[in-house]
Amino acid sequence: MDWLRSEIDQLFENFGQPGQSIFNFGRQGGSMPVPAVELVEDEKGYKLTAELPGLTEQDIEVSVAGDVLTITGEKKEDSKREEKGVLISERRYGSFHRQVPLPPDVDQEAITAEFKDGVLNVVLGKDQNVAARSRKIEIGKG
């Protein structure tokens, strides 16, 4: 539940601040800009959603290590145009790295991801054997 509390705390810390692009440069509020995520639970598992406008599936990487899901992304943009005989060249670069602690009952082999129209959906299946692996420990007298 600590991971949920930290997500809610972050939501309230950012409340009322002007919208921020994940590609803004520099630090804002003491931390690098990261995409907001939403994690919803149902009986079969969890669904994590992240809005990543302007990116493609080639710009994003999703990985899991231990009990942490990591979403990273990078966007490079280079444009050149000529206006009134002057060559204008613009380059933009932005990257982010977001880590989300996973609930203990996630089956790491049952994680899938899909990206469409700027929205990343990660489905995290529940491990049905988690309850079978837990047990009460008897306390003996010393």
Side-chain angles (χ1 to χ4, degrees):
M1 292 315 278
D2 289 338
W3 62 269
L4 180 59
R5 180 175 290 144
S6 69
E7 291 296 315
I8 292 172
D9 288 345
Q10 182 180 3
L11 176 69
F12 281 107
E13 287 173 13
N14 295 333
F15 183 75
Q17 293 181 357
Q20 299 175 358
S21 167
I22 62 173
F23 298 113
N24 288 344
F25 293 98
R27 295 186 170 268
Q28 296 183 5
S31 63
M32 293 295 290
V34 293
V37 297
E38 176 183 61
L39 185 64
V40 178
E41 179 181 13
D42 65 21
E43 63 279 348
K44 294 180 183 178
Y46 303 88
K47 181 178 178 184
L48 182 134
T49 305
E51 292 185 18
L52 305 169
L55 296 178
T56 66
E57 59 273 3
Q58 290 82 22
D59 300 326
I60 303 164
E61 182 177 306
V62 179
S63 61
V64 65
D67 61 350
V68 177
L69 180 81
T70 302
I71 303 169
T72 56
E74 180 177 64
K75 180 73 171 181
K76 295 178 183 178
E77 208 174 300
D78 191 3
S79 67
K80 293 180 183 180
R81 66 183 189 280
E82 190 170 327
E83 287 183 13
K84 298 178 184 177
V86 176
L87 178 64
I88 298 172
S89 176
E90 295 181 317
R91 290 185 191 98
R92 298 175 200 197
Y93 171 81
S95 67
F96 67 90
H97 178 92
R98 179 74 192 257
Q99 292 186 309
V100 179
L102 297 177
D105 60 345
V106 168
D107 179 359
Q108 293 191 10
E109 300 301 317
I111 299 175
T112 60
E114 181 180 285
F115 187 77
K116 184 178 179 185
D117 297 329
V119 178
L120 174 67
N121 289 301
V122 180
V123 176
L124 310 151
K126 286 185 179 179
D127 184 349
Q128 302 303 319
N129 298 319
V130 168
R133 289 194 311 253
S134 63
R135 64 184 178 94
K136 183 178 178 180
I137 306 296
E138 294 296 324
I139 303 172
K141 294 183 180 182

